[in-house]
Amino acid sequence: MLAAALLAGITATGCNREERRVPVYPEPHGGARLNLSPALITQVTLPDNFVLRPDEFSGVVVDAARRLVYVGSRAGSLLALRAEDGAIAWEVEFPGAISSEGVLAEDGALLLLGTDNGDLIAFDLETRKPRWTYETQGTIRNLPLVVEGVVYIVNSRDQIFALDLRSGAWRWQYDQPYPTDFTVHGHAGLSYLPPELAPEGNGAGGGEAAGTVFTGFSNGKVAAIGASSGEALWLASVAPVEGGDFADADGTPLIIAERGEVVVAGQNTGVYGLALADGSQRWFHAVRGAGSVVRGPRGLMAFSSALEGIFVLEHGGRVRWRQQTNPGFVSAPLVVGDVVFVTHAEDGLLAYDVETGEYLGGLDPGSGMSGPPVADPVFGRFYALTNRGALISFRMNER
């Protein structure tokens, strides 16, 4: 049954391929240095041939202790796959689509994941039942943050919740006014600064024994929030001064503690380096549609834009390189060693050299990929979920 479903999905995808692909920019050079051939392919969602452009946003969670890989789907299922061969070990159904990245907690006993119904589920991996569920009014698609027995989540309604990890009990909540103008689909995740790394002064970390949580909001605000109190220590704005639509600060903040900076992005403005202590601007690089900025080696920073392509910046915002991509959603980069990986909603998986921007290789499944690429250092694999619901694991080999 599973093999037949996979064959049907590939066949349907192949039939639509020429209709789907409308390249705007030249194809990357064919002499790629990485061989990104699939090692395993497992169908986790039955292909929906009546949906013109399906999307699968779920991430992959690797459970090395149990030798399992967990992945959710837009159908609301959570699957546990055997790492060795990709076979389904077990499956659980939930009432809402699972489009979030999950995280293991309590030494691997719990899997925390959000749903499009707005629920955060603490799933007990021994009983294979929810230990507790916390309901919110917005979708939860970002990675939960777990620090010292507290789980922090953010939803699409610009609400942050701090919950007790063991019971799901409410501790505090922080809200920003939800804008009435048009916003970009998506939301910033959460980043955490421990108190011992906080700068001196009354800003981030000042008087907060539990550290500081950073995030961005749909109105363009960026906040440093006391992890124990839930109170804003400072607010900054990355929205256009003149206001208007698409003011979102949707990129998850990147904390660079040794420089005393947090790097954030505004959808309609660009990438900012802000002081951790008070949110004041240190540097700025103008770009449209920037998402989360991630850390690379040797002080480099990478981010992607559906409008302007893949970027790597040096400290201070100077561009090291830029590679234009075809129109379509591009994931936040995954930097592994000296390679930058992204998934593209039309072109699949793409890989670039972090220093030079040279195109190294790609994997086009025919349906594109919207979920984030995930590296598994334990089993030596990478994972990505296609928009037709096939989970692909592959090894990276240089030619």
Side-chain angles (χ1 to χ4, degrees):
M1 179 68 71
L2 188 59
L6 177 56
L7 179 60
I10 293 175
T11 302
T13 300
C15 292
N16 293 332
R17 181 166 179 160
E18 293 304 320
E19 298 177 9
R20 174 185 65 84
R21 292 182 62 83
V22 185
V24 175
Y25 300 98
E27 293 293 328
H29 189 272
R33 289 198 287 111
L34 291 182
N35 177 16
L36 298 176
S37 58
L40 295 170
I41 302 177
T42 302
Q43 193 72 28
V44 299
T45 305
L46 290 177
D48 191 344
N49 296 324
F50 299 101
V51 178
L52 179 61
R53 304 179 81 82
D55 291 313
E56 286 284 4
F57 292 102
S58 180
V60 175
V61 181
V62 178
D63 187 344
R66 295 178 177 84
R67 303 188 70 81
L68 294 174
V69 175
Y70 307 117
V71 59
S73 75
R74 65 178 181 272
S77 59
L78 173 67
L79 285 86
L81 311 176
R82 293 204 307 249
E84 290 82 2
D85 57 10
I88 298 175
W90 49 262
E91 181 178 359
V92 177
E93 298 291 333
F94 293 101
I98 300 173
S99 300
S100 69
E101 298 178 67
V103 64
L104 294 173
E106 282 196 349
D107 295 327
L110 281 181
L111 175 63
L112 299 167
L113 69 164
T115 74
D116 282 8
N117 283 9
D119 299 337
L120 178 71
I121 300 169
F123 186 78
D124 191 307
L125 291 169
E126 293 300 321
T127 65
R128 298 181 194 169
K129 295 180 180 179
R131 181 183 297 180
W132 54 261
T133 299
Y134 190 87
E135 299 178 359
T136 79
Q137 298 302 308
T139 61
I140 300 175
R141 290 191 170 183
N142 290 102
L143 192 70
L145 174 67
V146 180
V147 181
E148 297 182 354
V150 180
V151 54
Y152 304 89
I153 57 171
V154 60
N155 68 10
S156 61
R157 299 299 299 178
D158 285 332
Q159 299 174 312
I160 301 174
F161 299 87
L163 311 172
D164 182 82
L165 177 60
R166 294 195 61 82
S167 66
W170 181 93
R171 290 199 172 191
W172 56 255
Q173 177 178 339
Y174 178 87
D175 299 60
Q176 273 287 314
Y178 195 72
T180 56
D181 297 319
F182 288 107
T183 61
V184 178
H185 177 72
H187 200 283
L190 303 170
S191 300
Y192 175 74
L193 178 69
E196 63 270 18
L197 298 181
E200 297 291 335
N202 296 324
E208 284 292 334
T212 310
V213 174
F214 295 83
T215 194
F217 298 95
S218 301
N219 60 8
K221 291 289 196 307
V222 176
I225 301 169
S228 60
S229 66
E231 298 178 357
L233 305 176
W234 56 254
L235 287 171
S237 177
V238 296
V241 175
E242 64 275 14
D245 297 329
F246 309 120
D248 312 46
D250 283 341
T252 300
L254 169 64
I255 297 172
I256 307 179
E258 67 272 21
R259 295 188 182 274
E261 287 183 358
V262 55
V263 180
V264 296
Q267 279 287 323
N268 221 354
T269 51
V271 177
Y272 296 77
L274 306 179
L276 278 174
D278 57 11
S280 59
Q281 181 178 320
R282 290 187 171 181
W283 55 265
F284 169 70
H285 174 74
V287 62
R288 299 172 302 155
S292 298
V293 182
V294 302
R295 194 163 192 161
R298 298 173 289 281
L300 298 176
M301 301 171 287
F303 70 91
S304 59
S305 161
L307 300 174
E308 300 193 29
I310 316 301
F311 289 77
V312 163
L313 302 182
E314 298 173 357
H315 176 67
R318 189 174 81 86
V319 176
R320 170 66 64 91
W321 58 261
R322 171 196 174 195
Q323 287 284 5
Q324 182 68 62
T325 57
N326 287 314
F329 172 81
V330 188
S331 72
L334 169 69
V335 180
V336 180
D338 287 331
V339 182
V340 177
F341 294 93
V342 296
T343 53
H344 190 287
E346 299 290 343
D347 295 333
L349 183 72
L350 305 171
Y352 302 90
D353 184 278
V354 73
E355 290 280 357
T356 66
E358 176 191 358
Y359 174 74
L360 299 179
L363 179 66
D364 184 357
S367 64
M369 298 175 173
S370 298
V374 175
D376 171 19
V378 176
F379 298 114
R381 289 179 178 168
F382 292 79
Y383 297 90
L385 186 62
T386 76
N387 284 335
R388 287 288 179 182
L391 179 66
I392 301 178
S393 64
F394 55 94
R395 289 185 175 90
M396 179 180 67
N397 299 308
E398 292 205 30
R399 286 184 175 179

